[in-house]
Amino acid sequence: MTEPGERRRRTTSTITRERAVQGAQDAARRAADALSELILHHLEGVSAVCRSENDGWIVNVDVLEVARIPDTTSLLATYEVELDQAGDLIQYRRIARYRRGAQDQ
């Protein structure tokens, strides 16, 4: 028990529980935030979120790499971002690059 005016110490499990990813939406937000700190491109959005084999998260983030006029000729890329259970970045890589106006194959 703590005395009045004392702060209660946090245990490691309490900190881990507070930091743990709270679902797909939280994983998407954390992945986008982590990627934006590493690359200097405008984020367009998240196109996929799924669990990884180690109970972390894999998130695909779409990024505007080269803005052009008209906008349909701009170059975009999809980055795969992997987070651990706590939501910390493990790795990222570009998995696709395409023109905005291009249709999916």
Side-chain angles (χ1 to χ4, degrees), residues 45-61:
V46 171
S47 56
V49 179
C50 64
R51 285 285 204 170
S52 66
E53 292 178 5
N54 62 359
D55 290 332
W57 295 89
I58 296 175
V59 181
N60 288 357
V61 180

Side-chain angles (χ1 to χ4, degrees), residues 4-100:
E6 281 187 44
R7 295 177 72 185
R8 185 174 173 195
R9 288 187 174 174
R10 292 182 176 181
T11 64
T12 304
S13 61
T14 304
I15 293 169
T16 302
R17 204 174 320 115
E18 288 176 2
R19 291 186 58 219
V21 176
Q22 299 299 314
Q25 185 176 11
D26 188 29
R29 186 175 301 113
R30 290 185 192 207
D33 290 346
L35 186 63
S36 69
E37 290 179 13
L38 297 171
I39 62 173
L40 300 176
H41 300 298
H42 174 74
L43 301 182
E44 291 281 310
V46 171
S47 56
V49 179
C50 64
R51 285 285 204 170
S52 66
E53 292 178 5
N54 62 359
D55 290 332
W57 295 89
I58 296 175
V59 181
N60 288 357
V61 180
D62 299 320
V63 173
L64 174 64
E65 288 198 334
V66 180
R68 292 186 177 158
I69 299 174
D71 190 49
T72 55
T73 62
S74 294
L75 292 178
L76 289 97
T78 300
Y79 285 81
E80 181 180 86
V81 180
E82 186 174 353
L83 304 175
D84 64 12
Q85 293 175 345
D88 294 323
L89 179 72
I90 296 174
Q91 66 179 353
Y92 77 96
R93 65 188 179 112
R94 184 171 66 190
I95 59 173
R97 194 169 193 201
Y98 54 95
R99 211 176 57 235
R100 186 186 299 274

